[in-house]
Amino acid sequence: MRKRIGILAVIVIALIIGYSYINQSHRDIEYENAEFNVNAIEIASNFSENTSLAETKYLNTTIEVNGNITEVNSNSITLNDKVFCQFTKAIETTLKSNTTVKIKGRVIGYDDLLEQVKLDQCTIN
């Protein structure tokens, strides 16, 4: 009887831990402090020179990156043709190319083909 109660207790505890792990609150990058403040060209050169080292340093971290806008879409901006920033909300249409901006976002990776660092959940600071 004690063995059954013990097994049942372990199963209940495992279910509670599993449920809380699955239903974690999501990160809100807009309100997080940036771990790094870098230039678009600087971070792109870090990734192109040594991708694995740069991923260890930057991947899944919140950064602030500044640079000149080279492309603007309804929900994305490209800085210096090196950093692609994807926004969760539509961005202002008043932004023009060759304007310097500072953008905060989460680094999600590096695209070897386009040679661009990818950020998501971005906001303009």
Side-chain angles (χ1 to χ4, degrees):
M1 185 68 169
R2 287 184 182 177
K3 197 174 192 181
R4 288 183 183 177
I5 293 173
I7 292 172
L8 183 63
V10 169
I11 291 172
V12 168
I13 290 171
L15 288 173
I16 291 171
I17 291 172
Y19 178 79
S20 62
Y21 178 76
I22 291 171
N23 292 316
Q24 296 180 44
S25 61
H26 298 284
R27 291 174 62 183
D28 194 356
I29 303 300
E30 184 176 359
Y31 299 107
E32 284 187 16
N33 291 327
E35 294 181 40
F36 300 100
N37 191 345
V38 294
N39 184 298
I41 296 171
E42 176 187 339
I43 192 169
S45 68
N46 286 340
F47 273 94
S48 65
E49 290 171 6
N50 191 341
T51 305
S52 61
L53 180 65
E55 283 180 347
T56 304
K57 183 177 181 179
Y58 294 112
L59 195 62
N60 204 25
T61 61
T62 302
I63 67 166
E64 279 187 341
V65 60
N66 56 21
N68 291 328
I69 297 174
T70 52
E71 186 178 342
V72 179
N73 293 319
S74 62
N75 65 346
S76 66
I77 292 177
T78 304
L79 300 176
N80 296 91
D81 289 325
K82 299 290 183 186
V83 179
F84 178 80
C85 306
Q86 185 174 12
F87 293 79
T88 54
K89 302 173 188 170
I91 56 176
E92 301 173 22
T93 57
T94 58
L95 295 171
K96 304 281 187 220
S97 293
N98 294 326
T99 305
T100 303
V101 293
K102 183 179 277 191
I103 296 176
K104 181 166 64 168
R106 179 178 62 134
V107 179
I108 59 172
Y110 180 69
D111 186 343
D112 292 331
L113 182 62
L114 298 174
E115 297 180 347
Q116 290 182 335
V117 178
K118 303 288 185 175
L119 304 178
D120 73 347
Q121 300 182 35
C122 294
T123 54
I124 298 174
N125 290 349

